[in-house]
Amino acid sequence: MVSPKGDQTHNDQQARHEQIESCLQPFHLSQAQLLSVRDLMLGDMERGLMKTPQKPSTLKMLPTYVRSTPDGTERGDFLVLDLGGAQFRILHVELKDSAKVEMESQVYAIPDEVMHGTGQQLFDHVAECLGQFLRQQKLHQKVLPLGFTFSFPCVQSQLDKSVLISWTKGFHCSEVEGKDVVHLFREAIRRQGGYDVDVIAIVNDTVGAMMSCGYQDHSCEVGFIVGTGTNLCYMEEMGNVESVEGDEGKMCINTEWGALGDDGELSSVQTEVDEQVDQNSLVPGKQCFDKLVSGMYMGEIVRLILVKLANQGLLFDGTTSQSLLTKGCIETKHVSAIEDDHFGLAAARKMLSVLGLNPSEQDCVNVQHVCSAVSTRSANLCAAGLAAVATRLQLNNHNLKITIGVDGSVYKQHPKFSERLHSALQHLAPECQIKFLISEDGSGKGTAIVTAVAKRLAAQRHQIDDILAPFQLSQAKLEEVKSQMRAEIDIGLCKETHAGATVKMLPTYVRSTPDGTERGDFIALDLGGTNFRVLYVHIGRREDAGVQIVSKTYTLPQEIIQGTGGQLFDHIIDCISEFQSENNLRGRRLPLGFTFSFPCKQTNLDQGILITWTKGFSASGCVGKDVVTLLREAALRKKNNDIIVVALVNDTVGTMMSCGYNDPACEIGLIVGTGTNACYMEELKNVELLDGDEGQMCVNMEWGAFGDNNCLEDITTSFDHDVDTFSINPGKQRYEKMISGMYLGEIVRQILIVLTRRGILFGGKISERLLTRDLFPTRFLSLIESDTLGLVQVRSILTELGLRSTCDDTMLVKEVCTTVSRRAAQLCAAGVAAVVEKMRANRGLDQLKVTVGVDGTLYKLHPHFAGVVQETVKILAPKCDVTFLQSDDGSGRGAALITAVACRIAGAEARAA
């Protein structure tokens, strides 16, 4: 039987427990509150990355200029200077592999008079100690790279440039604030003499934690510290960092997240005790988040709660002591000890006894409960912040696997903090798989790794620049190419030298561009591959419907293209007849334009001798014959009397004519797609192969063979030679192989192989896929260089090609693609510039205004090719006002327009006669 007195004691204890729990209730944060903190952090991160946010962010989001994490290949000897208090360390770190790092270190004191003297005194003292260290380690005759951990508030503008904002931690050295501390340190080394070092990087300790763990796990892209203070850094997409120029790659951002909530947005989770802590701090109103979670304040929060509970008679029989009332008497190490499952209650009794209190067993249990509430809140708030970062990384990278490098005494030494944090994070970011790695000596080893990565990247950059340098064409070099093209044009036009010309300058017998008066109905036949088209084209007034087209595509079976010429052209006539029947065109004798995209020697507008079949065609009895005659003979055999073949058309000429209908100033045709070619209206008197001096004639340049006489050898790279050697026509079409879509991807692939063999790309591992010819079609180059795709999408393209890439790999592949395509566009522009300057000279004009009609997938679909061509033509032909107009269906519409122009001219001549 329980006595009434026992009942009363139990009831009192229960009441006290409920009152204590009520006091601690504000520290028990709900899931909704934590999600609110996560969202607050996300919003502040977003605004902190902006140059001019509508609402200021409490997070600094400082660029660290660390652009890459370790890839495991970092090796060598490094020095580290770790300056962050009244003592500083100098370390010699030897990176042998990711599993073996050897370090020798020495700690040096900074005398009070130096801490409060001049900046020169401070850095001279540091430089003198560095000299001693190097001599002791027998390193003074080497020039080693050095990383500088400087744990004071700074604004960093480069990896090796950081301006001190203000001293903290008792330092008051004059003439340092507002200056670059790396420059001051270098000057001190110079004054010291007797040794030299290469100061490569100045590093924040949080970044050091990330990099230290990144050496073991290359996927580590977050650094997190919760110890005396707290902070976090992570790898952000460069395109989101508005304060730094450039969109490619990543940069480590130091969030300085301790200031989260300095705008009052965390007031909903702050308690009366937190307000007391803040008011009594050195920086009231600042570092709000830091004061809620970090070790510097955790013990003080516990102390203030204990005082409050004691004053309410809920602890220590309502008594306090002078020691308990003294700020700072309880430290985080005490909180950690008290929460230990085995010795916690004994640790509580010991601490309280030292503070002059005589605690009961229940008092010790209650104190343990208070410590648990405070440290759990800290862990939960850290989890909310980490959930924000995980969410951002997931949005940036679409990656659910995240590795966090962590350091700090609270995380490492508190018996339950890490477990609580992990559990809370799992609830706040359930879709992410998050792994934690404990950092070992982030400010030492981590800084050495930052330095090693910077050194590796610099060495790789030097190699990359050497490899890509031959593709960088100066204006002077492009002027030379333009002059060479101009000379080859003259050689091709000259009757005496034409036979040996590389740029053939073939007459097309097209003597006029559209003038807008063309009218009528026409048939067009477009034959250039295993599919061919038949088109019905109606040309009306521009102000009405203009050009209207009905078309149908037909397939050529293998047995036809590899059979006889009779079978081939009979099949084509059968298809034309079918098309005429379907469109009610039988019985109408319509002029036909024939686009025939195979090598021909044209002898009249409606005559062309087939030189050779390409593209898999091998129909017998055609080579050396006039293909128009073969088509006409097939029409006779098939009794189709409705076809009048008027013009045999080159696709480049068709492009010019198609655009010429819309713009009468269009007198040049350009194709840059799988292949490349150009045509233009030349003065007939300059076309020495033909009689006559009056008027103009369109000349098919066949400029793809420019350079076949080795006149472009000085800009031909080893990669161009490789592509040429393994092509189906070595030594031929050299200009085309530098410009057109058929070859650009192969040039890129050859460069990637060299970069991989040098260990710069894909971890130095050459995959079977990379050794596969024609791995990179032009469409992938266009996608990779697209401004609308982030690196994640580009990586997925490389994965589709069987290439596993890192972020750095992806950036480099994109750079290689851009370099190759830019050179192609510049060389194309040099050719166009030669043509327009020739036309200007022909006409004796100070300024030429002309339009270029353009077709081809490379020009139309590549995100930058057209822009580079246009800007380069402006530079190389400043006296020519050149407009570029993209063609709509040059091979079909253009063929009909050539036919229409021919009919117009024939009609005019008949009327004149």
Side-chain angles (χ1 to χ4, degrees):
M1 182 174 175
V2 180
S3 69
K5 185 176 180 180
D7 281 342
Q8 184 61 42
T9 301
H10 175 75
N11 289 340
D12 289 347
Q13 286 178 349
Q14 184 66 29
R16 273 199 299 274
H17 175 76
E18 289 174 1
Q19 287 177 281
I20 291 171
E21 191 56 44
S22 175
C23 182
L24 295 178
Q25 186 57 43
F27 291 87
H28 301 317
L29 301 179
S30 67
Q31 181 81 350
Q33 285 177 299
L34 293 175
L35 288 172
S36 174
V37 173
R38 179 200 67 184
D39 293 344
L40 174 67
M41 174 90 173
L42 267 173
D44 273 40
M45 288 172 73
E46 182 77 32
R47 294 197 307 278
L49 292 169
M50 297 177 184
K51 261 188 177 178
T52 54
Q54 288 185 339
K55 177 187 175 185
S57 171
T58 58
L59 302 184
K60 296 289 186 188
M61 302 299 285
L62 301 172
T64 66
Y65 296 84
V66 171
R67 297 173 186 264
S68 182
T69 52
D71 69 359
T73 65
E74 292 79 12
R75 301 287 184 273
D77 288 339
F78 301 89
L79 296 171
V80 174
L81 169 62
D82 179 11
L83 176 59
Q87 293 182 323
F88 67 94
R89 286 190 306 162
I90 299 173
L91 302 92
H92 171 217
V93 181
E94 190 174 356
L95 301 178
K96 295 190 172 181
D97 56 50
S98 57
K100 191 169 184 182
V101 179
E102 294 183 358
M103 294 191 290
E104 295 283 340
S105 67
Q106 182 74 44
V107 176
Y108 297 88
I110 302 177
D112 282 347
E113 61 270 21
V114 172
M115 289 178 66
H116 298 89
T118 66
Q120 182 168 324
Q121 286 175 302
L122 171 66
F123 286 106
D124 281 349
H125 174 66
V126 172
E128 181 183 352
C129 294
L130 177 57
Q132 292 174 11
F133 180 84
L134 291 174
R135 285 188 289 274
Q136 288 170 4
Q137 298 289 322
K138 295 182 171 53
L139 298 171
H140 57 287
Q141 292 183 336
K142 296 182 178 180
V143 180
L144 294 180
L146 181 142
F148 185 5
T149 304
F150 188 71
S151 302
F152 298 92
C154 288
V155 174
Q156 204 160 345
S157 57
Q158 293 175 22
L159 186 59
D160 63 347
K161 186 172 184 179
S162 195
V163 173
L164 177 66
I165 298 171
S166 61
W167 284 116
T168 56
K169 308 176 187 179
F171 279 73
H172 295 287
C173 300
S174 62
E175 299 176 16
V176 181
E177 291 179 357
K179 294 188 178 178
D180 174 18
V181 293
V182 174
H183 175 72
L184 295 176
F185 181 40
R186 284 172 173 155
E187 287 293 298
I189 292 170
R190 183 185 56 78
R191 286 191 298 270
Q192 183 68 24
Y195 70 91
D196 195 12
V197 296
D198 183 11
V199 184
I200 285 180
I202 185 162
V203 182
N204 169 282
D205 54 355
T206 316
V207 179
M210 179 186 77
M211 297 295 270
S212 173
C213 294
Y215 197 57
Q216 304 164 49
D217 182 337
H218 308 322
S219 65
C220 181
E221 293 196 340
V222 182
F224 165 50
I225 288 181
V226 57
T228 306
T230 185
N231 197 12
L232 178 134
C233 69
Y234 73 103
M235 298 300 291
E236 176 61 78
E237 298 293 316
M238 272 290 291
N240 298 328
V241 187
E242 294 185 5
S243 60
V244 179
E245 287 188 14
D247 293 328
E248 300 299 331
K250 296 182 180 182
M251 178 175 286
C252 182
I253 296 296
N254 169 20
T255 64
E256 291 292 344
W257 80 351
L260 181 70
D262 283 3
D263 55 358
E265 291 291 335
L266 282 179
S267 59
S268 61
V269 300
Q270 288 173 302
T271 67
E272 292 178 3
V273 172
D274 296 313
E275 290 171 8
Q276 274 184 273
V277 168
D278 179 54
Q279 289 165 10
N280 295 331
S281 70
L282 294 172
V283 282
K286 304 291 183 184
Q287 296 299 100
C288 174
F289 191 68
D290 191 37
K291 289 168 184 172
L292 294 173
V293 304
S294 75
M296 179 176 281
Y297 302 98
M298 197 181 290
E300 183 62 7
I301 293 170
V302 168
R303 184 188 73 84
L304 290 173
I305 295 171
L306 298 186
V307 169
K308 180 180 180 180
L309 294 175
N311 288 337
Q312 292 177 3
L314 301 174
L315 281 179
F316 319 132
D317 291 329
T319 64
T320 59
S321 67
Q322 193 58 44
S323 295
L324 182 62
L325 296 175
T326 303
K327 178 184 174 183
C329 67
I330 298 178
E331 299 176 22
T332 301
K333 65 179 182 181
H334 298 128
V335 176
S336 297
I338 289 168
E339 288 197 63
D340 183 89
D341 282 336
H342 302 291
F343 307 107
L345 293 178
R349 181 176 296 281
K350 180 180 178 182
M351 181 197 75
L352 294 169
S353 298
V354 169
L355 294 177
L357 297 164
N358 185 24
S360 67
E361 190 69 24
Q362 189 60 45
D363 284 335
C364 292
V365 170
N366 289 336
V367 168
Q368 193 176 53
H369 190 47
V370 169
C371 290
S372 175
V374 173
S375 65
T376 299
R377 183 186 69 163
S378 171
N380 288 343
L381 286 171
C382 285
L386 288 171
V389 174
T391 302
R392 182 156 187 94
L393 288 175
Q394 184 189 346
L395 290 172
N396 283 348
N397 306 330
H398 307 287
N399 187 4
L400 300 178
K401 293 184 177 181
I402 296 166
T403 301
I404 299 172
V406 60
D407 204 349
S409 55
V410 172
Y411 186 94
K412 286 180 171 180
Q413 296 173 14
H414 190 286
K416 298 180 179 179
F417 187 92
S418 60
E419 181 185 337
R420 290 168 182 163
L421 185 148
H422 299 168
S423 175
L425 186 53
Q426 194 170 9
H427 286 93
L428 293 168
E431 68 284 359
C432 296
Q433 299 174 42
I434 300 174
K435 179 170 75 171
F436 287 82
L437 285 180
I438 292 180
S439 168
E440 296 174 9
D441 194 6
S443 59
K445 175 184 167 185
T447 299
I449 292 167
V450 172
T451 309
V453 169
K455 185 184 175 189
R456 168 176 61 80
L457 293 177
Q460 289 180 350
R461 184 72 255 171
H462 183 71
Q463 289 190 68
I464 293 163
D465 290 344
D466 282 349
I467 290 168
L468 297 182
F471 291 88
Q472 315 285 348
L473 300 179
S474 65
Q475 183 177 337
K477 186 56 68 177
L478 290 170
E479 294 278 5
E480 283 181 32
V481 174
K482 180 185 78 171
S483 298
Q484 289 165 332
M485 176 68 87
R486 177 69 184 275
E488 293 296 317
I489 288 173
D490 291 338
I491 292 169
L493 290 171
C494 178
K495 192 171 186 177
E496 290 182 6
T497 55
H498 175 82
T502 56
V503 180
K504 287 299 182 184
M505 306 300 290
L506 302 172
T508 67
Y509 298 87
V510 172
R511 299 171 182 268
S512 177
T513 54
D515 66 2
T517 65
E518 291 78 14
R519 301 285 184 272
D521 295 332
F522 304 89
I523 297 290
L525 170 61
D526 177 15
L527 176 62
T530 53
N531 293 326
F532 71 96
R533 292 186 303 155
V534 181
L535 305 92
Y536 166 55
V537 182
H538 172 76
I539 302 176
R541 296 194 310 166
R542 283 201 192 100
E543 54 269 28
D544 295 334
V547 179
Q548 295 175 288
I549 298 175
V550 176
S551 69
K552 184 172 181 178
T553 300
Y554 295 90
T555 300
L556 287 169
Q558 282 293 111
E559 61 270 18
I560 295 289
I561 66 174
Q562 294 175 0
T564 67
Q567 290 173 314
L568 172 63
F569 284 98
D570 283 354
H571 180 76
I572 290 171
I573 291 296
D574 284 340
C575 293
I576 292 174
S577 299
E578 178 187 307
F579 180 82
Q580 288 171 321
S581 297
E582 289 175 355
N583 291 281
N584 299 316
L585 299 174
R586 294 307 297 264
R588 295 180 63 187
R589 299 199 72 210
L590 298 179
L592 182 144
F594 184 8
T595 301
F596 187 73
S597 301
F598 297 90
C600 282
K601 181 182 179 183
Q602 206 159 345
T603 54
N604 211 327
L605 183 60
D606 63 348
Q607 290 177 350
I609 308 301
L610 176 63
I611 298 169
T612 181
W613 282 119
T614 57
K615 308 175 187 179
F617 280 65
S618 59
S620 62
C622 298
V623 174
K625 301 283 184 68
D626 173 20
V627 293
V628 175
T629 299
L630 294 175
L631 184 66
R632 286 170 175 160
E633 289 172 347
L636 286 174
R637 284 195 299 272
K638 292 291 184 176
K639 296 182 172 52
N640 187 330
N641 300 316
D642 299 331
I643 294 174
I644 309 168
V645 183
V646 172
L648 183 67
V649 182
N650 170 279
D651 54 355
T652 315
V653 182
T655 295
M656 179 187 75
M657 298 297 274
S658 177
C659 293
Y661 181 76
N662 297 323
D663 182 351
C666 182
E667 297 186 74
I668 303 171
L670 170 66
I671 287 183
V672 199
T674 307
T676 183
N677 195 14
C679 68
Y680 72 100
M681 297 303 292
E682 177 60 85
E683 304 304 310
L684 187 57
K685 65 185 179 183
N686 295 332
V687 186
E688 296 184 7
L689 292 177
L690 301 179
D691 295 331
D693 293 332
E694 296 301 320
Q696 297 177 324
M697 178 171 286
C698 180
V699 174
N700 168 21
M701 296 178 69
E702 290 295 343
W703 77 356
F706 176 44
D708 286 4
N709 58 358
N710 293 324
C711 68
L712 297 179
E713 191 60 28
D714 61 334
I715 64 166
T716 303
T717 70
S718 60
F719 304 104
D720 296 312
H721 282 300
D722 286 340
V723 169
D724 178 54
T725 299
F726 292 101
S727 68
I728 59 172
N729 54 349
K732 305 293 183 184
Q733 300 295 102
R734 301 291 290 276
Y735 187 58
E736 182 171 79
K737 288 169 183 171
M738 292 181 175
I739 289 178
S740 74
M742 180 176 282
Y743 302 99
L744 295 191
E746 190 57 16
I747 296 171
V748 167
R749 189 183 70 86
Q750 295 287 350
I751 296 171
L752 299 188
I753 288 173
V754 169
L755 289 169
T756 306
R757 283 182 175 150
R758 294 196 185 183
I760 298 171
L761 261 182
F762 308 131
K765 297 173 183 174
I766 296 183
S767 65
E768 284 297 319
R769 290 282 286 162
L770 191 56
L771 295 174
T772 305
R773 295 201 172 279
D774 302 318
L775 174 70
F776 276 81
T778 306
R779 68 185 180 89
F780 281 127
L781 264 68
S782 297
L783 283 171
I784 287 169
E785 291 187 59
S786 171
D787 293 328
T788 60
L789 289 189
L791 289 181
V792 174
Q793 290 93 332
V794 175
R795 283 179 76 177
S796 70
I797 292 170
L798 295 177
T799 301
E800 187 179 334
L801 294 172
L803 303 172
R804 297 188 61 175
S805 63
T806 65
C807 171
D808 290 342
D809 290 339
T810 307
M811 286 171 57
L812 183 50
V813 170
K814 192 169 184 177
E815 181 183 354
V816 170
C817 291
T818 300
T819 301
V820 171
S821 65
R822 182 173 180 81
R823 182 192 68 159
Q826 289 176 320
L827 287 173
C828 179
V832 173
V835 171
V836 297
E837 285 290 359
K838 174 78 166 72
M839 295 175 71
R840 187 179 70 84
N842 285 346
R843 299 172 190 185
L845 298 174
D846 291 331
Q847 193 77 22
L848 172 72
K849 185 176 177 65
V850 69
T851 297
V852 180
V854 197
D855 205 349
T857 52
L858 186 57
Y859 188 94
K860 284 182 168 181
L861 301 180
H862 190 282
H864 306 298
F865 192 93
V868 175
V869 169
Q870 292 167 26
E871 74 181 29
T872 308
V873 169
K874 280 184 182 178
I875 294 167
L876 298 179
K879 294 184 178 180
C880 299
D881 181 4
V882 184
T883 301
F884 288 81
L885 181 63
Q886 290 192 24
S887 167
D888 293 322
D889 192 12
S891 57
R893 182 175 186 256
L897 283 162
I898 290 173
T899 308
V901 169
C903 291
R904 169 173 60 80
I905 293 171
E909 289 173 348
R911 285 191 296 274

